[in-house]
Amino acid sequence: MFMNQFEYFAPKTPGEAFELMGRLGSKARILAGGTELVILMKDRIIRPECLIDINNIEEFKGIKYEPGKGMVIGATTKIADIQYSEIVKRKYYALADAAGEIGSSQVRHMGTIGGNSCNASPSAETPTPLVAYGATVVVSSATGEREMPLEEFIQGVRMIDLKEGELLTKFKLPEPSPKLVGRYAYMGARDANEIDFVNMAVTLELEDDKQTVKSVKLVMGSVFIKPLISTAVTALLTGQKFSDELAAKAAEATQGEAKPITDVRASAEYRHEIVGVLARRLLKEAFGAAQEV
Amino acid sequence: MGAWDQRENYVREGKPSYLDERRFTQVGRSVPRIDGPAKAKGESIYTADMVLPNMVYGKIKRCKEYAHAKIKKIDCSKALALPGVLAVLTGDEAPNKWGIVPASANETALAVDKVRFYGEGVAAVAAIDEETAEAACDLIEVEYEPLPVLLDPFESMARASEVIIHENAPDNIMHKGDQIYGDVDKAFEKCEYILEREFKTGRPQQCYIEPMSAVASYDTQNGLLRLWASSQVPHYLHRQMSIVLEMPMSKIRVTLPTVGGGFGGKGEAASSEFVACLLSRKLGMPVKVTYDRDEVFFTSKGRHPCYMKWKIGLDKDGYIQAVDFDNTLDKGAYAGWGVVVMFYTASMVHLPYKVPNARTHVRNVYTNKPTTGAMRGLGGVQPRFAMECMLDELAEMMGISPYELKMKNAIESGYTAINNMYTPHTEYKKCLQTAVEKSGYLEKHGKLPFGKGIGLAGGYYITGTAYTLYQSYKPHTSVTIKVDTEGGVTVLCAAAEIGQGCNTVMAQMAAEALGVHYEDVHVQTGDTEIGSFDLGSFASRLTYGSGYAIREAAKEINEKLKAMAGGVLGCRADQLIIKDRKIYSMFEPKFTIDWATVVQKYVNSVGALIATGHFSPPRRKGIDIITGNRVQGANIGHSPTFGFSCQVHEVDVDVETGRVYVKKVTEAGDCGTAVNPMSVDGQVEGSIVFNMGAALYEEMKFDANGKHLNPNFHDYKCPTFMEMPDMDTNIVESYDPTAPFGVKETGEGAVQPTFPAITNAIYDAIGVRFYEVPITPEMILKALKEKKEKEAGCGCGCS
Ligand SMILES: Cc1cc2nc3c(=O)[nH]c(=O)nc-3n(C[C@H](O)[C@H](O)[C@H](O)COP(=O)(O)OP(=O)(O)OC[C@H]3O[C@@H](n4cnc5c(N)ncnc54)[C@H](O)[C@@H]3O)c2cc1C
């Protein structure tokens, strides 16, 4: 219940943050929304000596969209800001949708998008659509920046590619093609405060004939140690005329790719089953939506 | 005339008021709750909010290594050496056994010699703050010798020769019993339709929002102990505290601050309460112990999982002839309410249908899991699940509607069951009828598209018990009413307001009985020193019990006021009526005087008016006057009267993901007179959602060593606002003439039909019957797969 004693720092600029991180090294943990970190501390799973609160750093916050260039989302942007952002809804619908499914209203107003990825939980909600939209992350330190695809940044369960002194500062989302649609779905036992058994995002674009798949990407969450991009779906559908049979076939293929585990929430067999259902439904839904644009 | 007179419910035309005991003005009003404003504003003080001068904090060291182990050694020296630590406590310092049922009491404040479930308390610490107390707990060193862990009741019985959980239960059976009424075997021989099934229920817990909390303050000068606690049973807590602390009850005072729910889980004492008192006595300082949520899960006394075998037989016309019921209950580690719950499951066979021959075998088996106990609708939910599902299946065998079968067998007012349980009044048939008509059940049942279903089930529950748990036949509830010119009307009773709304309905009933308004009445409950005696909030007993006592007390006060008024008005006292804050002649309106004026005159000339009324429930067991033989049955299970409920659930089953969505619930309930219809609706809606959770996902999970896997609200899933179905709850017209104000119960009857109604609806949706709850998405998918394989089966298309 009670956290260990720790020293608290609240830098106001990236420079101050990097300086602190360089100085404190592994003694310090980053505090974003704290919705995950504080629980781990209260359960005494971790006992950091120092916390560096990065919420006061303006440069790490906010949603910026530039037509033609895409979107930049600061790491400490609140999940709720993404859920309610008009531009996110318009350009990256599946991301706004996924943000709206995280925890409860309280959690969404505290938690950040950066924390959701840095936490590296396989069932996390936003990494799935972010990967589907081809997001990259920028990690920064006193010595410079690195940029990499999100699926490379997340390496496994609670493992991320972050070196000592580095911070995740922003997500970059490429400008989506005007005809690209994105859809998100999840499955859990109930509809609020749920940890997903499986979640999934699809982005899909049709040729002008409104039938042929120009591009498609399906990403699965909670069925592998990190977001899993289906290669089979892309291979099976690209350049093909979309049909229910094809969607069913693609969905079956995703079941072969997923590597779910059994835990207190659901069995591997059940997750396996659900992967197929969600894939089929999402592909059809995305196709329907793509026909409308 | 008051505004209430315009409400059609209250006006029964053509009868002078003195002839119509049912013409209520205060009972039947949907008034807002007394405790509502403070709760809505966040101003209510719960136990955990309390801070007393010099108060220190207690924390319990729990065994997180084993679910069953001998305690070899407890070393508290390092904990005591920690700065800020004031005292430590171990189980051997208070070895007296407590338990709500004295005959089976076997719990101690902290474990003595042995731990029997994961998370059991082994020691405690008092320190200047909670943080230090928690740190000190980590410094307590306990040496254990692990014992084999028994998690399943059948394994527990089978391996009893090798491992026993309690010395005095060599077969690991806490208690067992057989009850045989009529000739069951002979009756089955004559049955046309016989169905045998096995059922299993899960392990949900109550999930009250407020965790247990206790503040104790022992005064070393006068030897008085005060305890503020979050409890449903201040009296039983008081009694058990006296046993464990070896102090007379008169030296202990139990007070309830605001209580944040209980649903049975706070229906017996808690370790936190003993530990707070023991530490306070040791230190001479106030001590507070508040549980974390995981501690609530570790120690919660949730519902008994039941493993049930059933056989029901009907004659060719569909009348039930015989029921054979065998039940193995999972008791968990300690006895608690076990005997009671077990025999309730047996008595539930006898209502709300006529069962002329019945045989029950029940046993409650110890396992190394948290103790199971009283949970909303105690002992009723499990057998009701089975019976209502089987009647659905039997109706199908007969080719008639389940509604028809249930109507045919439903009891009527004045029914005496074969076990001697007596139902003075019932509108159960009206409940069935109303729910069926309002939901369109008959038009929809069996006719909805695949994946959509509708299910019907009924149920009932007691309105209080016939006995105290320690076999004393003193009145179960006493209410004192005080009327004076300063405080107005004050109702004093040591009852427990735990959020169910008893203070509000007590005020309404007192106002009704005294002829004043609800707004005129103050209610003082939850204090064993201030209030008159009450057994506690369980068994849906309080509205009836307190109503009876209120009516008695009010009668005495009214007589005094009428005598005074008669003198002032110059008319006969026995012709006076008190209503709407006035005292007037029932024959001549000119003789009218304000109630307050008469009170003032009475107080000025005689003094304050005080009267106490008592309620003792009727007894059914006893000696036959003619034969001299003991009359069997009707001890556990009997009640002054019974409440009834019928529910129709409409579900959508996602046949690909297996998720079940309860879309709409139509309920019709017989709660007698609805003292506060708004409160009744709240209770009923709450009841339905309560068991909807346990029907579909709520389940405490343990690993092979008995360790909890989901002791938090993140992984133990209760329904949230998002899962709330559309609700149509209906209060059927009902009045029990034997009851005070015609009342019955409503807090537990409406949980009874929920499991079977959902299960029957799922069957209607997908053609698969489940005999186990919770019915998870995984189970649905598996069953659908099996069904498909079976249908594909022989390949001849015969399915
Ligand atoms: C009740 C509840 C329900 C929840 N439901 C969901 C859900 O449905 N779906 C879901 O995906 N999650 C859920 N979560 C988990 C959590 O809220 C989210 O993962 C959230 O996005 C975490 O963000 P945060 O800002 O609070 O992270 P924090 O707790 O502040 O940080 C999490 C971890 O990431 C590190 N970190 C944070 N930001 C950075 C950064 N910029 N650079 C480097 N490291 C960083 C921290 O040091 C820490 O280790 C739930 C949590 C709770 C308490």
Side-chain angles (χ1 to χ4, degrees):
Chain A
M1 235 303 256
F2 290 95
M3 296 181 272
N4 59 296
Q5 306 280 329
F6 57 87
E7 216 174 326
Y8 171 81
F9 300 91
K12 292 214 167 52
T13 63
E16 280 173 44
F18 297 139
E19 188 275 322
L20 279 167
M21 291 179 57
R23 187 151 54 84
L24 301 170
S26 61
K27 282 197 263 179
R29 290 294 288 252
I30 301 296
L31 172 70
T35 59
E36 192 65 43
L37 186 76
V38 173
I39 293 177
L40 294 178
M41 288 174 70
K42 283 191 166 183
D43 286 346
R44 305 212 198 152
I45 293 165
I46 55 168
R47 300 165 190 250
E49 282 174 54
C50 310
L51 290 188
I52 303 173
D53 180 344
I54 56 170
N55 287 290
N56 296 328
I57 303 169
E58 280 310 315
E59 286 85 341
F60 295 168
K61 256 199 268 232
I63 300 167
K64 287 174 207 85
Y65 172 73
E66 228 182 291
K69 289 200 164 159
M71 184 175 278
V72 176
I73 303 178
T76 56
T77 308
K78 297 291 182 192
I79 299 283
D81 290 336
I82 292 163
Q83 173 188 3
Y84 295 117
S85 157
E86 286 306 324
I87 186 73
V88 177
K89 277 192 232 171
R90 208 161 56 231
K91 292 283 169 185
Y92 309 96
Y93 177 82
L95 176 61
D97 191 15
E101 295 297 346
I102 288 187
S104 59
S105 182
Q106 292 93 324
V107 171
R108 294 192 291 271
H109 280 86
M110 288 292 293
T112 66
I113 183 143
N116 202 215
S117 278
C118 288
N119 195 34
S121 155
S123 64
E125 222 96 27
T126 59
T128 312
L130 282 168
V131 169
Y133 285 115
T136 57
V137 295
V138 176
V139 298
S140 319
S141 66
T143 57
E145 285 188 351
R146 296 190 289 139
E147 192 176 329
M148 69 194 99
L150 177 57
E151 62 271 26
E152 284 171 24
F153 174 70
I154 301 175
Q155 297 173 318
V157 182
R158 305 212 179 271
M159 277 164 52
I160 46 177
D161 181 8
L162 209 60
K163 302 198 177 71
E164 208 168 293
E166 278 184 334
L167 266 175
L168 169 64
T169 50
K170 54 192 167 218
F171 295 83
K172 285 185 174 173
L173 285 82
E175 171 75 25
S177 141
K179 291 199 178 120
L180 187 86
V181 298
R183 286 294 180 272
Y184 175 79
Y186 74 101
M187 175 68 196
R190 63 180 179 195
D191 284 332
N193 253 324
E194 187 54 288
I195 309 284
D196 302 344
F197 300 162
V198 176
N199 65 42
M200 199 175 280
V202 166
T203 54
L204 186 139
E205 188 184 358
L206 294 176
E207 299 284 4
D208 290 339
D209 67 356
K210 303 250 180 214
Q211 293 297 331
T212 310
V213 178
K214 189 171 175 193
S215 76
V216 61
K217 188 171 177 185
L218 183 146
V219 183
M220 300 172 256
S222 211
V223 294
F224 186 53
I225 54 168
K226 60 182 203 163
L228 183 65
I229 304 170
S230 166
T231 50
V233 167
T234 308
L236 277 165
L237 292 183
T238 312
Q240 303 294 318
K241 276 204 165 21
F242 191 93
S243 67
D244 286 357
E245 296 72 52
L246 203 54
K249 212 169 136 196
E252 213 182 299
T254 60
Q255 290 179 297
E257 295 175 302
K259 295 176 189 66
I261 57 155
T262 295
D263 65 12
V264 66
R265 298 180 190 114
S267 69
E269 299 78 61
Y270 182 69
R271 289 192 158 103
H272 187 259
E273 218 35 64
I274 295 306
V275 165
V277 175
L278 287 192
R280 185 161 34 77
R281 288 183 181 177
L282 261 192
L283 285 170
K284 283 207 233 174
E285 191 189 332
F287 172 69
Q291 284 191 309
E292 301 296 312
V293 291
Chain B
M1 280 218 294
W4 49 86
D5 276 338
Q6 342 248 285
R7 294 186 48 177
E8 55 174 342
N9 287 12
Y10 305 122
V11 183
R12 290 155 57 86
E13 293 292 341
K15 263 194 188 181
S17 57
Y18 65 90
L19 285 179
D20 192 355
E21 53 167 355
R22 295 165 64 174
R23 191 186 297 222
F24 299 130
T25 67
Q26 302 304 311
V27 160
R29 284 175 73 190
S30 283
V31 292
R33 300 168 57 120
I34 290 185
D35 50 340
K39 280 182 175 162
K41 287 186 283 178
E43 288 172 3
S44 298
I45 308 284
Y46 295 83
T47 309
D49 296 325
M50 286 182 61
V51 178
L52 296 182
N54 296 323
M55 188 177 86
V56 299
Y57 296 82
K59 202 88 200 153
I60 297 176
K61 162 91 177 173
R62 298 188 176 280
C63 174
K64 303 264 186 76
E65 291 87 359
Y66 307 104
H68 197 192
K70 272 191 194 142
I71 302 171
K72 305 286 283 182
K73 195 173 138 204
I74 304 179
D75 182 356
C76 297
S77 54
K78 283 190 190 140
L80 266 173
L82 186 73
V85 172
L86 303 166
V88 294
L89 180 77
T90 49
D92 52 4
E93 293 176 61
N96 287 3
K97 294 191 168 145
W98 62 272
I100 187 119
V101 182
S104 62
N106 62 358
E107 263 184 275
T108 46
L110 293 165
V112 177
D113 300 334
K114 201 172 153 174
V115 289
R116 294 179 174 85
F117 65 89
Y118 176 88
E120 184 166 3
V122 288
V125 175
I128 51 166
D129 54 33
E130 239 182 320
E131 207 170 333
T132 309
E134 197 176 275
C137 282
D138 288 347
L139 294 174
I140 295 177
E141 289 163 0
V142 190
E143 226 178 89
Y144 297 103
E145 180 190 319
L147 295 166
V149 173
L150 301 173
L151 297 176
D152 170 83
F154 296 98
E155 189 193 352
S156 183
M157 288 188 284
R159 290 179 65 190
S161 57
E162 177 196 338
V163 207
I164 54 170
I165 295 174
H166 289 276
E167 288 304 320
N168 64 354
D171 45 6
N172 282 335
I173 296 176
M174 189 219 80
H175 202 72
K176 59 181 173 189
D178 299 334
Q179 294 180 346
I180 296 157
Y181 302 101
D183 191 334
V184 172
D185 292 322
K186 214 163 109 198
F188 273 123
E189 277 169 26
K190 285 190 260 163
C191 284
E192 180 81 16
Y193 304 95
I194 295 177
L195 186 65
E196 283 184 75
R197 288 287 178 251
E198 289 187 21
F199 288 83
K200 196 176 138 195
T201 58
R203 174 55 158 103
Q205 66 130 311
Q206 293 87 353
C207 297
Y208 33 82
I209 296 299
E210 182 208 16
M212 268 78 166
S213 183
V215 174
S217 177
Y218 180 78
D219 190 324
T220 50
Q221 284 292 308
N222 56 20
L224 293 177
L225 174 68
R226 286 206 66 176
L227 170 62
W228 292 265
S230 172
S231 174
Q232 293 178 232
V233 284
H235 167 65
Y236 283 108
L237 169 56
H238 192 189
R239 208 170 171 274
Q240 292 165 81
M241 197 54 68
S242 152
I243 292 167
V244 173
L245 271 75
E246 296 181 345
M247 281 172 66
M249 285 177 82
S250 62
K251 296 278 185 195
I252 304 171
R253 174 176 174 191
V254 178
T255 306
L256 307 187
T258 311
V259 178
F263 312 106
K266 294 172 185 166
E268 50 193 303
S271 185
S272 49
E273 291 150 2
F274 297 110
V275 166
C277 289
L278 289 161
L279 285 171
S280 178
R281 188 167 64 175
K282 227 173 176 174
L283 287 168
M285 294 164 119
V287 177
K288 174 152 85 181
V289 179
T290 302
Y291 281 174
D292 287 337
R293 181 58 59 182
D294 62 355
E295 294 183 280
V296 174
F297 272 92
F298 297 152
T299 62
S300 74
K301 303 200 164 167
R303 189 178 282 146
H304 288 67
C306 286
Y307 300 79
M308 304 179 282
K309 288 185 191 157
W310 287 82
K311 187 173 171 186
I312 299 180
L314 313 179
D315 70 12
K316 63 176 189 350
D317 300 318
Y319 291 100
I320 300 172
Q321 294 306 311
V323 173
D324 198 355
F325 170 40
D326 180 285
N327 192 10
T328 303
L329 298 91
D330 184 345
K331 180 77 251 32
Y334 291 94
W337 279 89
V339 178
V340 178
V341 176
M342 182 186 82
F343 280 118
Y344 263 106
T345 66
S347 76
M348 290 289 158
V349 167
H350 299 282
L351 293 178
Y353 305 107
K354 292 175 213 156
V355 177
N357 300 283
R359 181 165 59 202
T360 57
H361 302 288
V362 291
R363 63 204 66 78
N364 208 343
V365 185
Y366 286 121
T367 55
N368 294 116
K369 287 190 292 195
T371 305
T372 44
M375 178 157 154
R376 200 175 198 172
L378 154 180
V381 169
Q382 303 94 327
R384 186 60 39 217
F385 167 46
M387 272 188 96
E388 292 291 317
C389 287
M390 286 180 76
L391 289 180
D392 215 68
E393 213 172 335
L394 280 159
E396 196 180 342
M397 278 167 79
M398 289 183 66
I400 64 171
S401 155
Y403 171 60
E404 193 186 330
L405 185 64
K406 287 172 190 187
M407 282 297 274
K408 200 184 261 273
N409 285 285
I411 61 157
E412 280 129 17
S413 297
Y415 173 72
T416 300
I418 181 91
N419 76 336
N420 200 30
M421 261 159 65
Y422 173 68
T423 306
H425 178 263
T426 175
E427 299 292 356
Y428 180 50
K429 286 188 181 174
K430 215 191 279 176
C431 294
L432 285 165
Q433 223 171 344
T434 307
V436 162
E437 275 167 18
K438 289 208 70 179
S439 62
Y441 174 80
L442 292 176
E443 295 74 50
K444 294 177 187 166
H445 183 237
K447 302 181 189 90
L448 296 171
F450 188 69
K452 286 188 187 298
I454 188 165
L456 166 81
Y460 81 99
Y461 208 63
I462 53 171
T463 304
T465 56
Y467 53 90
T468 61
L469 292 163
Y470 48 87
Q471 298 301 324
S472 153
Y473 286 91
K474 64 185 174 192
H476 288 193
T477 299
S478 298
V479 175
T480 300
I481 299 179
K482 179 166 72 100
V483 181
D484 62 23
T485 45
E486 292 74 34
V489 178
T490 309
V491 171
L492 300 126
C493 176
E497 168 65 85
I498 58 168
Q500 86 276 41
C502 71
N503 283 7
T504 304
V505 298
M506 282 168 78
Q508 288 185 262
M509 292 188 296
E512 185 67 56
L514 291 167
V516 296
H517 292 187
Y518 160 71
E519 292 79 0
D520 301 335
V521 181
H522 307 280
V523 180
Q524 285 289 337
T525 54
D527 193 307
T528 55
E529 196 164 295
I530 296 174
S532 304
F533 182 82
D534 179 65
L535 270 186
S537 288
F538 56 90
S540 291
R541 50 179 299 282
L542 208 45
T543 304
Y544 192 112
S546 71
Y548 193 100
I550 284 169
R551 205 174 53 177
E552 277 208 341
K555 198 170 154 216
E556 205 178 312
I557 289 173
N558 290 347
E559 269 162 23
K560 288 178 182 159
L561 288 177
K562 282 181 191 172
M564 179 66 64
V568 175
L569 291 168
C571 69
R572 283 182 50 166
D574 64 0
Q575 295 182 358
L576 292 175
I577 293 247
I578 314 185
K579 234 180 179 60
D580 193 18
R581 296 173 176 152
K582 290 205 167 31
I583 305 183
Y584 57 92
S585 161
M586 61 179 82
F587 301 111
E588 290 156 283
K590 68 177 178 200
F591 293 126
T592 299
I593 185 167
D594 281 345
W595 179 83
T597 309
V598 181
V599 168
Q600 193 169 28
K601 285 184 191 304
Y602 192 95
V603 171
N604 286 348
S605 54
V606 185
L609 292 128
I610 296 181
T612 301
H614 304 284
F615 167 67
S616 285
R619 295 175 70 175
R620 297 286 293 171
K621 216 169 170 169
I623 311 297
D624 183 311
I625 306 172
I626 295 169
T627 62
N629 293 334
R630 248 179 115 203
V631 178
Q632 269 312 308
N635 195 15
I636 289 183
H638 189 58
S639 170
T641 190
F642 301 91
F644 298 85
S645 170
C646 175
Q647 285 167 26
V648 175
H649 284 238
E650 289 170 70
V651 303
D652 277 4
V653 179
D654 184 326
V655 295
E656 290 181 338
T657 64
R659 258 190 74 175
V660 176
Y661 300 85
V662 178
K663 303 302 274 186
K664 167 132 205 225
V665 183
T666 309
E667 193 267 357
D670 165 12
C671 62
T673 301
V675 178
N676 187 324
M678 183 164 66
S679 255
V680 172
D681 284 341
Q683 282 291 336
V684 171
E685 290 186 4
S687 295
I688 292 168
V689 177
F690 189 85
N691 257 5
M692 187 184 90
L696 298 175
Y697 26 77
E698 284 187 45
E699 177 87 329
M700 288 172 68
K701 293 177 182 161
F702 306 90
D703 72 6
N705 300 314
K707 184 185 161 175
H708 281 243
L709 297 173
N710 57 348
N712 56 63
F713 282 155
H714 214 129
D715 292 318
Y716 177 100
K717 319 271 184 199
C718 312
T720 71
F721 205 77
M722 304 289 286
E723 278 69 45
M724 190 76 183
D726 207 358
M727 296 262 192
D728 176 16
T729 59
N730 301 276
I731 301 170
V732 306
E733 171 99 41
S734 168
Y735 183 91
D736 181 346
T738 66
F741 311 100
V743 302
K744 299 181 180 177
E745 68 80 38
T746 191
E748 298 186 272
V751 304
Q752 308 292 337
T754 306
F755 282 4
I758 290 176
T759 311
N760 290 337
I762 292 173
Y763 172 72
D764 190 48
I766 61 171
V768 180
R769 285 200 185 273
F770 289 91
Y771 302 97
E772 185 182 340
V773 283
I775 304 170
T776 63
E778 307 213 30
M779 284 161 65
I780 299 254
L781 281 198
K782 192 162 161 267
L784 280 170
K785 212 167 154 191
E786 282 166 13
K787 185 178 171 230
K788 216 167 158 187
E789 280 162 12
K790 214 160 121 197
E791 280 168 3
C794 59
C796 72
C798 62
S799 71

